[in-house]
Amino acid sequence: DGGITQSPKYLFRKEGQNVTLSCEQNLNHDAMYWYRQDPGQGLRLIYYSQIVNDFQKGDIAEGYSVSREKKESFPLTVTSAQKNPTAFYLCASNRGSYLGNEQFFGPGTRLTVL
Amino acid sequence: GQQLNQSPQSMFIQEGEDVSMNCTSSSIFNTWLWYKQDPGEGPVLLIALYKAGELTSNGRLTAQFGITRKDSFLNISASIPSDVGIYFCAGSFLSGNTGKLIFGQGTTLQVKP
């Protein structure tokens, strides 16, 4: 089955700790995206990558970091510099903007900072 | 950043009723997408629109790409309890296409059996 997987589903961390959220896709998509969702708000873009070994900041990149060493994987690290990290994090992928803008989402990871 | 104005913010309807929601933008978009999100899950793509004036259906769902390229609407006919969830519109800009989407704030739909 082709799709996007995110792990873990729920994640708890203590203040001051870095944590890495996993995102893997087997859709052979070129582009991948990370979003943050807070209650009552739309999705806000954190980082995106259109090709391996390249990524760009989104609207709310401060306190986050990413890597794109493989086409299938786009992990997101929430650093201790992120002031309010408790949120629902969503990963998405796209075939490549030249092929259309439809993004397909993973099931999400809910991060709670204790 | 760029915002989409999505309305209404929430709806509470009776099963069998029709539903309508819309999104407007201050900028021209070349793509409008509609997603549904169930609680605690990722959004699922419902309908994609790529051409101004385009009207597309997916079962009981119908969406249209506005002629001005600055708006879109989604209609759900004969609602059923499983229609409950949050519906998001999303658009991407005409120029400098990076595949980035701008999302509306969502319409929360509740259906009373």
Side-chain angles (χ1 to χ4, degrees), chain A residues 34-53:
Chain A
W34 273 105
Y35 294 91
R36 171 184 173 133
Q37 185 176 27
D38 294 286
Q41 296 193 34
L43 280 64
R44 292 184 292 168
L45 183 64
I46 304 172
Y47 267 97
Y48 65 103
S49 168
Q50 293 182 284
I51 197 168
V52 174
N53 292 323

Side-chain angles (χ1 to χ4, degrees), chain A residues 21-65:
Chain A
L21 281 59
S22 168
C23 178
E24 303 280 330
Q25 55 98 0
N26 61 4
L27 300 167
N28 199 34
H29 284 178
D30 286 325
M32 298 185 74
Y33 307 81
W34 273 105
Y35 294 91
R36 171 184 173 133
Q37 185 176 27
D38 294 286
Q41 296 193 34
L43 280 64
R44 292 184 292 168
L45 183 64
I46 304 172
Y47 267 97
Y48 65 103
S49 168
Q50 293 182 284
I51 197 168
V52 174
N53 292 323
D54 187 44
F55 50 83
Q56 287 79 40
K57 292 181 179 180
D59 299 319
I60 56 165
E62 185 175 351
Y64 300 98
S65 66

Side-chain angles (χ1 to χ4, degrees), chain A residues 9 37 50 97 101-103 106, chain B residues 31 35 37 40 50 92 98-99:
Chain A
K9 182 67 174 175
Q37 185 176 27
Q50 293 182 284
S97 59
N101 292 328
E102 300 149 354
Q103 290 184 18
Chain B
T31 302
Y35 289 87
Q37 185 179 29
Y50 286 98
S92 66
T98 61

Side-chain angles (χ1 to χ4, degrees), chain B residues 19-22 32-35 46-66 71-77 88-89:
Chain B
V19 171
S20 184
M21 59 192 80
N22 68 82
W32 281 100
L33 306 173
W34 286 93
Y35 289 87
L46 299 173
I47 293 178
L49 302 160
Y50 286 98
K51 187 177 177 182
E54 180 181 357
L55 184 72
T56 297
S57 293
N58 178 7
R60 294 179 294 106
L61 279 60
T62 302
Q64 185 161 27
F65 193 139
D71 60 348
S72 178
F73 73 76
L74 175 70
N75 285 345
I76 305 173
S77 63
F88 289 101
C89 62

Side-chain angles (χ1 to χ4, degrees), chain A residues 33 45 48 50 56-57 94 96-98 100-101 103, chain B residues 27-31 91-102:
Chain A
Y33 307 81
L45 183 64
Y48 65 103
Q50 293 182 284
Q56 287 79 40
K57 292 181 179 180
N94 168 286
S97 59
Y98 54 94
N101 292 328
Q103 290 184 18
Chain B
S27 301
I28 292 174
F29 283 169
N30 69 345
T31 302
S92 66
F93 292 107
L94 184 64
S95 62
N97 189 11
T98 61
K100 290 169 60 178
L101 297 177
I102 307 300

